[in-house]
Amino acid sequence: MAEILALVEARLRTALGEPDARAAITFLGTDRIEVLRFVDADAGLVRYATLGMSAQPMADPTAVLADPVKGPRAELVLSVRAGLADTDKVLRALAVFAATPQVEGVVVAPGASLDVGEPLWPGAPFSSVLVAEPGGLVEDLDLDDPMDPVRFLPLLPMTQNEAAWKRVHGAQALEERWLANGTDLRDPLRRSVPLD
């Protein structure tokens, strides 16, 4: 487990640079989850990445026994514009999201919604995120067979209206709506995209 997390952290550092801060959270009955913060001053972005979610494979909730080796592995990455909101408070929400497979026995995959039921940070118009497709910012990390690669899943904050609309129309329809409206998904204070 520690060896996998060392490889994951090395991949994050290669893709995002040196983290300037890190926090660790442990929930009762779960492994420790860390959240690393990377500042990209050139792009004016702050990126947060979980570290610990990939230590164990995610198990199919219908399986009688969880396979300790095989199964999807992932970490979560959130990118927001720097200096517009107190986004560092998102650390707890990210740790909650990363612990979801252990706590609720679900597989977090692209197209899924994750919700903490409260603003992701003070004044945030979002309490949930859409899990997006991996492979853009941080490449998948291949592990030794028979282990699945670690995928780095981007998180896209959703307003309550967007989350409700996504439940009806699907993730792809919401992403197309964002694209058609030129939505800045990294804006920590953005309003909901027009949905009518």
Side-chain angles (χ1 to χ4, degrees), residues 102-115:
Q102 289 183 58
V103 174
E104 298 181 17
V106 297
V107 175
V108 175
S113 300
L114 301 170
D115 195 323

Side-chain angles (χ1 to χ4, degrees), residues 6-122:
L7 293 170
V8 168
E9 184 168 352
R11 174 58 53 94
L12 287 168
R13 287 171 185 263
T14 299
L16 305 177
E18 286 299 311
D20 76 330
R22 65 195 306 147
I25 298 177
T26 305
F27 301 102
L28 189 64
T30 68
D31 295 327
R32 170 182 152 127
I33 302 286
E34 286 190 89
V35 180
L36 281 57
R37 183 180 71 187
F38 301 86
V39 176
D40 184 343
D42 294 338
L45 297 173
V46 180
R47 302 186 198 280
Y48 303 92
T50 63
L51 179 63
M53 182 177 174
S54 61
Q56 307 291 336
M58 293 182 274
D60 181 340
T62 61
V64 178
L65 285 174
D67 191 313
V69 178
K70 291 165 78 174
R73 295 175 189 261
E75 296 291 353
L76 308 174
V77 181
L78 173 71
S79 300
V80 292
R81 298 221 171 276
L84 300 179
D86 185 11
T87 55
D88 281 352
K89 298 284 196 270
V90 78
L91 300 179
R92 181 168 175 73
L94 288 175
V96 169
F97 295 154
T100 300
Q102 289 183 58
V103 174
E104 298 181 17
V106 297
V107 175
V108 175
S113 300
L114 301 170
D115 195 323
V116 284
E118 60 187 32
L120 295 179
W121 51 81

